Amino acid sequence: FGMTALHRACFRDPPVELVEAFLHAYPESTMMKDTGPESGLTPLHAACYYCSSAVVTTILKFNIDAVTQTSHQGNTPIECLSRVAREKIKWIIESEVFPNQSVFDIMKQDFHLPKVWSTACLLLEAEYYGTVTRPCSNDKARQIIHACAGLEKCPSNFLQLAMKLHPEQLLEGDEEGNLPLHVAAASTSIEEGNAFSISTMKLLADAQPNAARVRNDQ
């Protein structure tokens, strides 16, 4: 109910040129929510699952603040994507990786999953780094586990998937020498007992206990 043209298009994976035309015609549409009683989705919410990464990138470049907009249930686009793809992500996390095989090889067995992960990276990096261009304008390296660790409401299944795909990043420092565990530990929401932050730190510490021994450069 109450959808804009951009809403409707984003449920059907439109070409980038059409999305750009809608955005130029009605820039405010990036923040508009449909009026369904149990919905409240923005075009980005829909685009995350139904559209190509190029469409998601186009919306984010036009208005990066769309990444933090919530539905009527209080879910951001990354949280909605996490819920919709929950079973697919769980399958990858629990899959055994055999010699001469990578996690990416397993992901390719599902047609939709590589696109889900690509979109998740766009959303996580957009919110954490504040941009969707490469390289970042603030010179931060693209480290997806740091992005997961630094966001108060990063879904735990995406953090687990990031750690399975890029375990080396658990001991990589950012430009200030902070490991993902440092980033998570610096969250102001810890003082409030935020369940997301506490769960994130436990997952990081369990995955790489040696990270607790590392000092940053500050």
Side-chain angles (χ1 to χ4, degrees), residues 82 86 89-90 92-94 103 117 124 144-145 148 154-167 170 199-200 202-204 206-207:
S82 167
R86 181 185 295 113
I89 298 170
K90 181 181 179 183
I92 288 294
I93 292 171
E94 296 178 350
V103 182
W117 178 240
L124 292 165
I144 192 62
I145 299 182
C148 291
C154 173
S156 61
N157 57 353
F158 279 132
L159 171 59
Q160 290 174 288
L161 181 54
M163 291 191 297
K164 186 159 187 174
L165 288 165
H166 303 288
L170 290 165
S199 174
T200 294
K202 287 181 177 179
L203 286 171
L204 291 168
D206 288 343

Side-chain angles (χ1 to χ4, degrees), residues 120-171:
C121 288
L122 283 171
L123 297 172
L124 292 165
E125 292 176 349
E127 186 172 355
Y128 182 65
Y129 292 107
T131 178
V132 290
T133 58
R134 293 177 182 271
C136 291
S137 57
N138 57 9
D139 296 325
K140 289 184 179 179
R142 294 286 182 167
Q143 294 165 309
I144 192 62
I145 299 182
H146 285 73
C148 291
L151 298 179
E152 183 178 321
K153 298 181 70 176
C154 173
S156 61
N157 57 353
F158 279 132
L159 171 59
Q160 290 174 288
L161 181 54
M163 291 191 297
K164 186 159 187 174
L165 288 165
H166 303 288
E168 74 284 352
Q169 290 188 11
L170 290 165
L171 289 175

Side-chain angles (χ1 to χ4, degrees), residues 146 172-180 182 214-218:
H146 285 73
E172 286 182 3
D174 60 16
E175 73 281 1
E176 296 172 344
N178 291 310
L179 307 187
H182 288 106
V214 177
R215 297 172 184 262
N216 64 13
D217 297 335
Q218 294 178 309

